Amino acid sequence: MNKLDQRSLRKQVAPFEKSNLKASVLQLCNTLIPYLGLWVLAYYSLNISYLLTLVIGVVAAGFLVRLFIIFHDCCHHSFFKNRTANKIVGTITGILTLFPYSKWGHDHSVHHATSSNLDKRGTGDIWVMTVEEYLEASAWKRLSYRVYRNPFVMFILGPIFVFLIENRFNRRKAKKKERWNTYITNLGIVSLAVIVSLTIGWQAFLIVQGTIFMVSGIAGVWLFYVQHTFEDSYFEEDENWEYVKAAVEGSSFYKLPKPLQWITGNIGYHHVHHLSPRVPNYKLEEVHNQTEPLQKVPTITLKTSLKSLKFRLWDEDEKVFVGYGKIKEMVAEQKEIKKIPSLEK
């Protein structure tokens, strides 16, 4: 894709970068109200069956993921035209999803500006090493990377760390408004937890909230992981990195069944979102369907996305994600080369 095509593509998407107040309010209502209703229903189901509580909790977790997408849009100032409205709704939904609006919004903006850039990794993204970096790394760093990329650590322990620990603290260079927003978010979370616990009992609160938290956390990390970790993704060093190519080639189109597409707020159209973060989530599918070049991007499904679990390292030579088996092959090849006698005398 040359520069002219990239500019043309961004122009085609620009008309969709406007929120619709009616659509935004409707989405907020059909997400927040069912979520709160399911939460209460899950609590009352404790008197019937823990299994029933689990089932209701899983459904509620889906609505919490959808609520996070609203929070996510507010961070991009794409859910409402008014920035103050975005901040207020973003802060409230941030309390419910355990994310500080200003802090996470900053980190996520950095992620968008540096996604797939090998020279600017480390903020708002998943740790990715290249094959060469892994081969040159110390034994301790290799072990740390393997532990980090282990599915249990990434999808089970990861959400616990990100939600309960990492997001509770400000970054070092945060400005005063950002710091206060984090304090307000933390206070809101604690206050809500205390009030609900005093009302229904801390055991019931932990069972219901814990179930919803874990299921939504696993789903959220999985969505973020799979939409940037697929075989023929895009990674380049800074001098060759291009924003539009990073968006449409380094972000997948996760083609989900309609019910899952709805509950995840169309975030499967991740290539559209990265191309233009100002497009509200309820317009992403429309942009994809009306913009032909965006229909030719890497596409994954529920079935094919499972292959992403084996991808560990980025191969700069082949321009693909590979597993640790690639390292074994390279080491074996090097040993074979050493066995070949030199023709030089």
Side-chain angles (χ1 to χ4, degrees), residues 13-113:
V13 176
F16 297 93
E17 296 175 337
K18 295 179 180 179
S19 62
N20 180 291
L21 181 60
K22 182 179 179 180
S24 294
V25 172
L26 177 62
Q27 185 177 56
L28 187 59
C29 291
N30 67 29
T31 303
L32 182 58
I33 295 174
Y35 171 69
L36 296 177
L38 286 164
W39 206 106
V40 173
L41 191 61
Y43 162 65
Y44 281 110
S45 72
L46 288 171
N47 296 320
I48 302 173
S49 166
Y50 287 123
L51 181 60
L52 179 59
T53 304
L54 175 62
V55 173
I56 297 174
V58 169
V59 179
F63 278 90
L64 188 59
V65 170
R66 184 171 167 83
L67 198 62
F68 173 80
I69 299 303
I70 292 175
F71 160 82
H72 166 261
D73 274 15
C74 287
C75 289
H76 284 297
H77 307 292
S78 64
F79 199 65
F80 296 111
K81 294 178 182 178
N82 185 281
R83 293 180 72 90
T84 301
N86 281 308
K87 186 172 184 178
I88 293 173
V89 174
T91 299
I92 293 172
T93 53
I95 291 172
L96 294 174
T97 57
L98 308 183
F99 280 90
Y101 170 80
S102 296
K103 175 183 182 295
W104 190 84
H106 170 273
D107 289 349
H108 193 61
S109 294
V110 174
H111 162 68
H112 271 264

Side-chain angles (χ1 to χ4, degrees), residues 100 103 107 158 160-170:
K103 175 183 182 295
D107 289 349
I160 296 174
F161 174 77
V162 171
F163 287 73
L164 300 184
I165 301 176
E166 185 180 48
N167 278 320
R168 306 284 62 86
F169 300 95
N170 282 302

